[in-house]
Amino acid sequence: MDLKKFPIRQDVIEICELFRLNPYQMASGGCLLVILEDGRGFVESCKREGIMASVIGRMKAGKDKIILNGEERRCTDRPAEDEWFRICKGGT
């Protein structure tokens, strides 16, 4: 998957920058991640209905699940605590 293709609103990015939070490591309530044969068709249907949607990657053979962020390539991380809780606990 390619982080640059995630549909994130600009105001969310700016708030995360203000609090030094990683928007990709926060809870995403109301969001849905699906694997479909025709992802592009599904995205077009969503956009016609005013729903933010994007194809963020594709499935490949093998166990490696790769995340792209510009030139950086890394494997997916294990689930971790939401970034927001760091702020609630008084951390930076």
Side-chain angles (χ1 to χ4, degrees), residues 9 15 20 22 27 30 39 42 46 49 57 59 62 72 75 84 90-91:
R9 294 177 18 187
I15 291 169
R20 287 183 278 175
N22 183 336
F42 180 75
C46 287
E49 297 297 322
M59 298 296 291
E72 178 188 357
C75 292
W84 181 250

Side-chain angles (χ1 to χ4, degrees), residues 24-42:
Y24 303 106
Q25 294 178 333
M26 296 183 70
S28 53
C31 296
L32 177 67
L33 177 63
V34 295
I35 299 169
L36 301 167
E37 292 271 335
D38 182 18
R40 294 186 193 334
F42 180 75

Side-chain angles (χ1 to χ4, degrees), residues 56-70:
I56 62 167
R58 58 189 162 93
M59 298 296 291
K60 295 175 76 175
K63 293 183 179 182
D64 292 341
K65 305 303 177 226
I66 305 297
I67 298 174
L68 302 175
N69 187 8

Side-chain angles (χ1 to χ4, degrees), residues 9 16 20 34 40 45 51 57 74 89:
R9 294 177 18 187
C16 287
R20 287 183 278 175
V34 295
R40 294 186 193 334
S45 295
I51 300 168
R74 62 183 175 89
K89 292 176 182 177

